[in-house]
Amino acid sequence: MQFSKNIKYTSIPNRIAVKLNAKGEQFVLKGHPWVFSNSITKINTDAKTGDLAIIFSKNKNRVIGLGLYDANSPIRIKMLHSGIEKVEINSEFFQNNIKEAFKKRQTLLKTNTNSYRLIFGENDGFPGLIADVYASVLVVKIYSEIWLPYLEPILESLQHTSNAKTVVIRLSRGLENSKSHQLKNGEVVYGTLENEVVAFVEHGVNFSANVIKGHKTGYFLDHRANRKQVGEWSKGKTVLDVFSYAGGFSVHALANGAKEVTSLDISKQALEIAVQNGRLNSYSGTHKTIAGDAFKELKKLINTKVTFDVVVIDPPSFAKQASEIELAKKKYAQLAKLGEQLTAKNGLLVLASCSSRVVSQTFFDINNEVLSSKNRPYTLKLKTQHDVDHPIGFPEGAYLKSGYYRFLD
């Protein structure tokens, strides 16, 4: 089988010399993967997206890093390598990075799991590129045009390393609208795909992902360990899964013997997928769904005096830009308050955040302040971050945090 001709890129990237201000230079020397446009003081020639940026130190005029130039982003250079040792950016360089990333996933792949994130963007040395594996299907999502000149050898290496039979390309909205390539979002560039919905296994629990039209690459893999944990603590319990999307927490709870599970999401289509994912497994409990705005629906549930043994609240990112941070904090406080009211005596409340701009300490402080204001003793049973296939390589890469709060009444 051959890769699609659409991944070939005829334009040859240039090598450009770059100098930074003192702040930018320090970031590079510390291994940060981003160089912002306001850190650049000099470029020796006209630069275009995909060019290899060779960054020289301000004083000694020695190379301190290599990256890819992105004319379309305020993050003007995405770093590939930091340090003074000599490195060639070529097929072998990318191949070695992919092999190194694959090694980090080995403990996960020894479990009954065949879905994992092979490349986690900057954290694995590939800024703006994600590669997820669902059974025998590799889904590569590209967020920046910087990768277009290098895509063919990278895809070949990803396919070989993962042993995928099919490779699907997903594009960010900006890349979908770009005229710099012939790729289409959801295009199968290697192998064949009989069904756009692909079945996979996560710690012994069956799921499916729409790899062509689903959100991101089709599913959210980062909460895998938390889903497993919630499932193990849900046997014989009633469970509320808020912002359930495709039912990750719900399905694990059902598969582990939960008595009743309620999935709540604003998307009816997502709830249908959650129900279908549940049916991929054998379970004896009841699976209910509620379609609607989470904040409004939680208040309705509170008014009916219903409570649940386990409440999981895993909202989407509330702070995608700095101006949204304060509002995000208020929303997290609201959800903690609503979740507490819906958690039964001696129940478990799981609160999660995927907003990287709301740092972990702030998130846990918000939860502690809200829950401590209630007349209910509780203990923070567990704090978790990313699963093993989402390694953290720099501060902004650490977006996921979850707290398990056990009430002692």
Side-chain angles (χ1 to χ4, degrees):
M1 290 188 291
Q2 297 294 319
F3 277 88
S4 165
K5 62 182 180 181
N6 288 349
I7 70 170
K8 295 185 183 299
Y9 197 74
T10 54
S11 178
I12 299 173
N14 293 320
R15 297 163 71 92
I16 58 174
V18 178
K19 284 201 173 185
L20 310 177
N21 59 22
K23 185 178 179 181
E25 188 171 315
Q26 282 303 308
F27 267 70
V28 168
L29 290 171
K30 289 177 181 177
H32 199 283
W34 297 340
V35 174
F36 287 88
S37 58
N38 58 9
S39 294
I40 298 173
T41 59
K42 185 179 180 181
I43 300 178
N44 72 325
T45 184
D46 289 337
K48 66 179 186 301
T49 295
D51 283 350
L52 179 64
I54 303 167
I55 299 174
F56 289 86
S57 62
K58 196 173 182 181
N59 298 322
K60 295 183 180 179
N61 212 34
R62 64 179 180 179
V63 176
I64 60 170
L66 303 169
L68 297 180
Y69 187 85
D70 190 343
N72 304 313
S73 170
I75 304 174
R76 198 54 51 89
I77 298 173
K78 274 82 168 176
M79 297 300 296
L80 299 178
H81 171 76
S82 298
I84 60 173
E85 64 268 30
K86 190 175 181 181
V87 169
E88 280 293 323
I89 304 301
N90 52 25
S91 298
E92 186 179 0
F93 172 84
F94 293 126
Q95 186 177 55
N96 288 337
N97 277 359
I98 290 167
K99 286 180 179 177
E100 196 62 34
F102 188 64
K103 284 180 188 176
K104 295 177 184 177
R105 277 75 176 167
Q106 289 310 297
T107 55
L108 173 63
L109 296 178
K110 289 175 182 175
T111 69
N112 188 6
T113 300
N114 64 3
S115 55
Y116 61 99
R117 175 151 290 182
L118 175 53
I119 296 296
F120 182 32
E122 288 87 341
N123 301 278
D124 284 309
F126 289 85
L129 189 145
I130 297 292
D132 288 345
V133 176
Y134 301 99
S136 63
V137 179
L138 170 70
V139 185
V140 178
K141 181 148 189 180
I142 310 168
Y143 289 89
S144 173
E145 289 184 17
I146 62 172
W147 293 112
L148 294 176
Y150 313 93
L151 194 55
E152 187 171 10
I154 288 172
L155 288 182
E156 288 176 352
S157 182
L158 287 170
Q159 183 275 324
H160 178 75
T161 302
S162 64
N163 199 27
K165 293 182 171 59
T166 304
V167 179
V168 176
I169 289 289
R170 299 294 300 270
L171 304 173
S172 66
R173 191 166 298 172
L175 268 171
E176 272 196 89
N177 298 327
S178 169
K179 292 181 171 61
S180 298
H181 61 89
Q182 294 180 305
L183 293 165
K184 294 181 177 60
N185 187 36
E187 181 179 351
V188 176
V189 296
Y190 178 83
T192 58
L193 193 65
E194 293 180 11
N195 193 329
E196 63 187 38
V197 178
V198 176
F200 62 93
V201 180
E202 178 179 283
H203 290 307
V205 180
N206 297 316
F207 283 94
S208 66
N210 190 317
V211 297
I212 304 296
K213 299 173 185 170
H215 197 49
K216 303 286 186 180
T217 64
Y219 193 66
F220 294 95
L221 298 171
D222 51 4
H223 262 306
R224 182 192 305 101
N226 286 318
R227 290 190 285 262
K228 180 176 183 286
Q229 185 65 82
V230 166
E232 290 172 354
W233 287 346
S234 295
K235 186 178 176 68
K237 309 288 188 182
T238 58
V239 179
L240 174 64
D241 180 7
V242 188
F243 302 101
S244 61
Y245 184 54
F249 288 100
S250 300
V251 176
H252 269 273
L254 288 166
N256 280 274
K259 182 168 62 178
E260 181 183 286
V261 174
T262 302
S263 300
L264 193 167
D265 198 274
I266 198 166
S267 167
K268 290 182 179 178
Q269 183 182 16
L271 290 172
E272 289 171 3
I273 296 170
V275 171
Q276 292 166 10
N277 279 334
R279 289 172 180 161
L280 295 174
N281 304 274
S282 59
Y283 64 88
S284 57
T286 304
H287 192 183
K288 298 180 177 180
T289 61
I290 299 173
D293 176 84
F295 292 89
K296 293 177 182 177
E297 297 301 329
L298 291 179
K299 289 173 184 175
K300 287 181 186 178
L301 287 171
I302 290 167
N303 290 336
T304 65
K305 308 293 185 185
V306 66
T307 58
F308 302 84
D309 299 317
V310 179
V311 176
V312 180
I313 303 180
D314 175 34
S317 177
F318 287 145
K320 293 184 177 179
Q321 49 196 20
S323 61
E324 297 173 329
I325 292 175
E326 291 308 312
L327 179 59
K329 291 178 183 178
K330 291 177 182 177
K331 288 183 177 180
Y332 286 126
Q334 281 181 276
L335 289 174
K337 183 179 179 180
L338 294 168
E340 181 273 328
Q341 294 176 79
L342 286 164
T343 306
K345 289 183 178 181
N346 301 307
L348 179 69
L349 172 62
V350 182
L351 299 171
S353 165
C354 64
S355 300
S356 62
R357 293 181 183 275
V358 178
V359 298
S360 181
Q361 189 60 54
T362 300
F363 177 67
F364 287 110
D365 285 347
I366 291 168
N367 295 340
N368 181 61
E369 184 178 346
V370 171
L371 298 181
S372 296
S373 70
K374 308 298 176 183
N375 293 320
R376 296 181 72 181
Y378 73 92
T379 181
L380 178 53
K381 189 176 178 68
L382 185 65
K383 288 169 73 172
T384 64
Q385 293 183 322
H386 307 70
D387 205 352
V388 68
D389 59 339
H390 288 67
I392 301 166
F394 68 117
E396 292 87 345
Y399 65 89
L400 189 67
K401 49 268 180 190
S402 303
Y404 292 66
Y405 300 88
R406 173 71 71 185
F407 292 98
L408 307 174
D409 48 10

